[in-house]
Amino acid sequence: MAAPNLSMNLPADIPSAQAEAIRELLGALPEHRQTTFVLRARRWWPTLVSGLSIYPDPAAAGGRALELAARAFAERSDDLHALDERRLLEPDWFQQQTMIGYAAYTERYAEPGTGLAGVADKVDHLRGLGVTYLHLMPLLKPRPAPNDGGYAVADYRAVREDLGDIQDLANLTGTLRANDISLCLDLVLNHVAKEHEWALKAKAGDAAYREYFHVYADRQEPDAYEATLPEVFPDFAPGNFTWDDELEGWVWTTFNDYQWDLNWSNPAVFCEMADVILNLANLGVEVLRLDAIAFMWKRKGTNSQNQPEVHQITQALRAVARIAAPAVAFKAEAIVGPGDLVHYLGRGQHYGKVSDLAYHNSLMVQIWSMLASRDVTLAAHALAQIPDIPGSTAWVTYARCHDDIGWAIDDGDAAAVQLNGFEHRGFLSEFYTGNFDGSFADGLVFQHNPATGDKRVSGTAASLSGVGLAAEAGEDGRLNDAVGRVLVAHALMFGWGGLPVIWSGDEIGSLNDPNWDNLPEFAEDNRWAHRPALDWAAVRALGDHPESPADRIYQGISAMVEKRGELPHLHADVPAHAVPTTDRGVLGVVRRHPLGAMVGLYNMTEHEAYVPTWWVDAQGVEPHAMTDHLAGNVPELTEFEDIKLAPYQAMWLTA
Ligand code: GLC
């Protein structure tokens, strides 16, 4: 069907060759689709080109990207076009209080050998939990082991053979969509496996592909960069550069020596990745987790993290996705200090233009810090320093994930509350690895860095909360407290607002896997201790032993999910503010929603705690009309009009 006005309507500064190609691609589509594309292209072209201003010829790179978008748009299924419309009508879909996330490894969630199809077979467990978002850990074709749990991708257009193929992936997204579950996949964009086609071509001497990486003939440049670069894996991959005989050069490898960092200052890399995104979008992937995004741009004299160009690139990638597949949301995985973190959700010129979601690493760390110290002072201060995020974005809240916990406690925050940051981080490491007197946890030390004193920690939520040690000791009181910690941690992440993500197994209190190092390819990396296969026997037994930790944790989390869904106050469009209460063991979280204020109270200790009604009143919740939505009742008051919280009790109060 001809579209006479199309060429006129496309943005004028698209290079003519690309404009021509786009016109041809769209010419085959029904008129309403053509109109849609042109409207979106006009809407996002300025955003795209301004993002690409880091390159010498932004319009050329933009034109190429727009052509890719047109091709993907033309190929997109009707089903997914309908999803685009749905999401455009409901742009806050990922911010809603009904959103519940779950994260798992395909092969550790599905029954052994059943792969992606096996995940669909197990969709009932997700539905039962109220899950609306599923993050399946890296499943695109990686290099052979070791591959950093799949974060060394050899082919972005193929699925890990033991899990299925591309059609299985498309089928799974369809099944999940039919169950109102959005699939999130990792987009590893900082690096590729050294077996990826681009790396192979570079090694074979193709100059254009050599430019896809940061390669240096001798140590001069690498040494200059190293002077200010930290080490991500000091234990098993020290240094940030690796010599490669075939390349005859040092290649930048921030993570493992087999993960080659991409050179994002090359616009060809931008176009390749834009195309990868479009391809995943057309398979029905709805959320892309932008892995290790902080590392994408390098600058001498800095730690080469959080550089402004990262946000330019994200803005441009997002503009491409908005044009072809607006159902897709971006989630930044930037495990960086609080001051840098908020930029990933858009500040200044990038406001509303970069990622839709970002991990709230700070909240996660503070949860564990509060539980260990039985004191919320530092958390309340540190969380209050984090600026409000744009109203169109949301935090991903979590108690822990597949990675270790790095103690991201800011020295300035610590000093502000009379703590020494270095010592507090040291305390948390010792505490959570069971080396501190009175510790309840049995985590493992991950990547001890003697140069900085850093000791990160591996462990499941239940193990870090003390469920394992208490059960071993057979002490009911201790076990109650441990279960209480798992639940209060989840109550806080559910009650913050945003998208809470449950790590697979935490919903039934799974402990560290004692056999994590049985497979030789995992033996060096104890993060596998907290990535156990889901214990389906335990899931099936839920309900049989109401007093067991598994049942209590599952019931507790299910109740929170249900209550959360009924509370519009928890929509992510209003910010959450952490505030100290009158009790140093109780954190307050205030959300000033147009419907009225909501106050969350979280007792992070094993002692009873009291918060005066005047305090709640001052936050905007009228004490004589208040309800605790978690318990579904009016909170008990003492004769002094104090609200009484049981050990580790959480309350969600509104009037
Ligand atoms: C992210 C992943 C982590 C991986 C790293 C390198 O931080 O969460 O597991 O090791 O990126 O891709």
Side-chain angles (χ1 to χ4, degrees):
M1 199 179 301
N5 285 327
L6 205 59
S7 59
M8 275 168 33
N9 288 338
L10 280 172
D13 45 342
I14 298 176
S16 56
Q18 273 85 40
E20 188 54 44
I22 292 169
R23 245 174 273 135
E24 205 174 308
L25 282 164
L26 298 184
L29 302 180
E31 208 173 322
H32 73 277
R33 284 269 157 84
Q34 300 183 14
T35 308
T36 297
F37 186 86
V38 172
L39 287 173
R40 289 192 201 153
R42 291 172 65 97
R43 162 67 180 88
W44 292 106
W45 175 255
T47 311
L48 172 62
V49 178
S50 99
L52 295 175
S53 63
I54 54 170
Y55 299 127
D57 190 347
R64 287 208 299 281
L66 194 64
E67 185 184 335
L68 296 172
R71 190 177 308 276
F73 178 83
E75 288 168 0
R76 195 158 168 82
S77 70
D78 287 347
D79 229 29
L80 291 172
H81 277 299
L83 182 69
D84 290 334
E85 279 190 48
R86 226 177 103 194
R87 298 307 192 210
L88 288 169
L89 288 168
E90 206 177 5
D92 65 337
W93 65 275
F94 59 86
Q95 297 182 289
Q96 294 175 11
Q97 66 277 8
T98 45
M99 288 298 289
I100 300 291
Y102 190 90
Y105 286 89
T106 303
E107 72 282 12
R108 291 174 173 236
Y109 182 75
E111 297 285 0
T114 60
L116 290 170
V119 174
D121 296 339
K122 296 288 192 188
V123 80
D124 285 353
H125 178 61
L126 300 174
R127 283 193 65 108
L129 252 182
V131 169
T132 59
Y133 157 109
L134 174 65
H135 173 199
L136 286 180
M137 299 300 292
L139 52 78
L140 300 179
K141 189 178 169 193
R143 76 189 294 269
N147 53 37
D148 191 20
Y151 285 102
V153 181
D155 186 351
Y156 292 89
R157 292 165 201 274
V159 165
R160 244 174 71 183
E161 274 149 29
D162 58 320
L163 301 182
D165 59 21
I166 283 292
Q167 191 51 50
D168 294 317
L169 177 56
N171 293 347
L172 177 62
T173 62
T175 306
L176 292 174
R177 231 175 10 260
N179 283 283
D180 286 322
I181 298 174
S182 300
L183 183 68
C184 167
L185 281 196
D186 285 271
L187 179 68
V188 185
L189 35 63
N190 177 67
H191 43 263
V192 296
K194 69 173 187 192
E195 289 76 10
H196 190 283
E197 187 193 347
W198 306 332
L200 295 179
K201 286 184 174 163
K203 283 198 261 197
D206 186 325
Y209 284 94
R210 193 178 174 94
E211 288 299 309
Y212 276 39
F213 302 96
H214 301 274
V215 188
Y216 307 97
D218 57 41
R219 279 301 301 187
Q220 197 181 333
E221 288 285 284
D223 285 343
Y225 279 108
E226 282 288 14
T228 51
L229 286 177
E231 288 182 308
V232 178
F233 293 144
D235 249 15
F236 47 60
N240 287 278
F241 298 86
T242 302
W243 175 262
D244 187 275
D245 280 340
E246 285 164 90
L247 276 182
E248 290 179 44
W250 292 91
V251 60
W252 198 307
T253 53
T254 301
F255 293 87
N256 292 289
D257 55 11
Y258 51 77
Q259 288 162 303
W260 287 14
D261 287 36
L262 286 165
N263 174 14
W264 280 88
S265 70
N266 178 355
V269 167
F270 174 85
C271 288
E272 296 273 16
M273 273 298 170
D275 203 37
V276 166
I277 289 176
L278 294 166
N279 184 52
L280 291 172
N282 276 359
L283 291 167
V285 176
E286 294 184 50
V287 181
L288 290 169
R289 175 186 179 277
L290 308 180
D291 179 67
I293 181 175
F295 297 86
M296 283 164 70
W297 196 270
K298 324 295 186 193
R299 177 164 281 115
K300 218 175 280 169
T302 73
N303 62 359
S304 290
Q305 291 182 42
N306 311 309
Q307 297 301 307
E309 288 83 352
V310 170
H311 307 300
Q312 297 280 114
I313 295 167
T314 316
Q315 171 178 322
L317 289 174
R318 183 168 182 275
V320 175
R322 298 311 285 176
I323 293 167
V328 170
F330 280 7
K331 176 176 67 161
E333 190 250 346
I335 307 306
V336 300
D340 291 313
L341 185 54
V342 285
H343 289 271
Y344 291 87
L345 290 174
R347 288 185 68 71
Q349 55 167 321
H350 301 298
Y351 183 88
K353 294 187 183 139
V354 283
S355 291
D356 307 283
L357 296 155
Y359 286 92
H360 203 327
N361 176 51
S362 230
L363 179 63
M364 185 273 288
V365 166
Q366 295 296 345
I367 288 175
W368 297 107
S369 170
M370 288 185 283
L371 288 174
S373 62
R374 279 82 164 176
D375 190 332
V376 308
T377 316
L378 170 64
H381 173 81
L383 292 167
Q385 304 315 302
I386 301 179
D388 291 347
I389 58 176
S392 57
T393 64
W395 289 117
V396 170
T397 60
Y398 60 120
R400 63 93 171 190
C401 66
H402 71 290
D403 279 329
D404 51 288
I405 302 179
W407 301 114
I409 303 280
D410 181 77
D411 283 336
D413 288 338
V417 299
Q418 279 74 54
L419 287 175
N420 174 305
F422 181 82
E423 282 171 14
H424 188 64
R425 291 190 293 272
F427 157 69
L428 293 172
S429 298
E430 299 309 316
F431 189 95
Y432 281 106
T433 51
N435 292 319
F436 189 88
D437 226 13
S439 158
F440 47 71
D442 59 349
L444 306 163
V445 176
F446 180 74
Q447 303 285 321
H448 179 204
N449 186 342
T452 60
D454 266 1
K455 266 189 195 172
R456 285 134 67 184
V457 170
S458 294
T460 66
S463 285
L464 295 181
S465 296
V467 174
L469 290 182
E472 244 169 59
E475 288 177 30
D476 285 353
R478 274 173 70 187
L479 196 54
N480 277 342
D481 289 342
V483 168
R485 285 180 206 109
V486 175
L487 290 178
V488 79
H490 282 84
L492 182 47
M493 74 189 233
F494 284 125
W496 190 262
L499 171 54
V501 179
I502 303 167
W503 182 267
S504 181
D506 283 352
E507 76 275 29
I508 53 166
S510 293
L511 301 175
N512 289 344
D513 180 353
N515 303 317
W516 64 271
D517 54 356
N518 274 3
L519 289 174
E521 67 260 37
F522 296 162
E524 250 189 280
D525 185 344
N526 67 26
R527 290 178 295 176
W528 290 101
H530 58 231
R531 302 164 176 175
L534 186 61
D535 183 348
W536 284 103
V539 171
R540 279 188 291 272
L542 284 171
D544 294 351
H545 308 282
E547 290 310 313
S548 68
D551 271 67
R552 282 153 64 193
I553 292 172
Y554 185 82
Q555 287 312 326
I557 289 182
S558 299
M560 290 173 206
V561 169
E562 193 186 320
K563 302 295 175 182
R564 184 183 141 92
E566 295 164 0
L567 267 176
H569 304 70
L570 283 171
H571 191 291
D573 60 357
V574 297
H577 293 141
V579 268
T581 63
T582 50
D583 185 317
R584 58 194 304 152
V586 181
L587 182 74
V589 176
V590 180
R591 305 179 54 77
R592 298 212 163 77
H593 194 276
L595 286 170
M598 170 177 169
V599 170
L601 293 178
Y602 302 92
N603 180 1
M604 306 304 282
T605 78
E606 58 271 70
H607 310 295
E608 281 175 359
Y610 300 89
V611 173
T613 43
W614 63 256
W615 185 90
V616 175
D617 201 8
Q619 309 306 322
V621 173
E622 223 280 78
H624 294 287
M626 74 185 167
T627 306
D628 168 17
H629 294 269
L630 271 178
N633 61 21
V634 175
E636 186 189 336
L637 298 185
T638 66
E639 57 180 312
F640 307 109
E641 298 253 315
D642 288 340
I643 299 171
K644 180 175 154 193
L645 289 107
Y648 298 114
Q649 186 176 359
M651 289 184 175
W652 290 346
L653 303 172
T654 70

